[in-house]
Amino acid sequence: MKPKIIADECIGDGICEEISPEVFELRDDGLAYVINEDPDASLQDKIDEAIEECPTSAIVMEES
Ligand code: SF4
């Protein structure tokens, strides 16, 4: 499973980057991007937290 951000849903508040900067990055265009598409299993808790805290549910897990 790999994290993905649905760009149309992202409002660019940067919460995901605050929680897990190893995986998410807020860029100048005002959207967050996944910078690590194959995150180590040790990051899963932080990814799950980012998914929970994202106000628009823009982060999803996809089959890799
Ligand atoms: S937490 Fe959600 S809405 Fe906020 S920047 Fe990340 S993906 Fe976008």
Side-chain angles (χ1 to χ4, degrees):
M1 301 285 278
K2 60 182 183 181
K4 186 184 172 209
I5 293 172
I6 304 165
D8 285 350
E9 304 288 335
C10 178
I11 58 171
D13 56 21
I15 290 174
C16 52
E17 184 188 65
E18 280 178 32
I19 295 170
S20 184
E22 306 88 347
V23 178
F24 304 105
E25 179 180 83
L26 186 64
R27 296 197 181 148
D28 290 344
D29 62 3
L31 296 174
Y33 291 84
V34 174
I35 56 172
N36 181 354
E37 295 209 335
D38 188 21
D40 190 85
S42 64
L43 292 170
Q44 191 60 51
D45 283 354
K46 288 172 94 174
I47 294 170
D48 288 344
E49 186 181 345
I51 290 171
E52 277 177 30
E53 296 298 327
C54 174
T56 60
S57 302
I59 308 168
V60 296
M61 294 299 286
E62 279 197 334
E63 297 289 336
S64 44

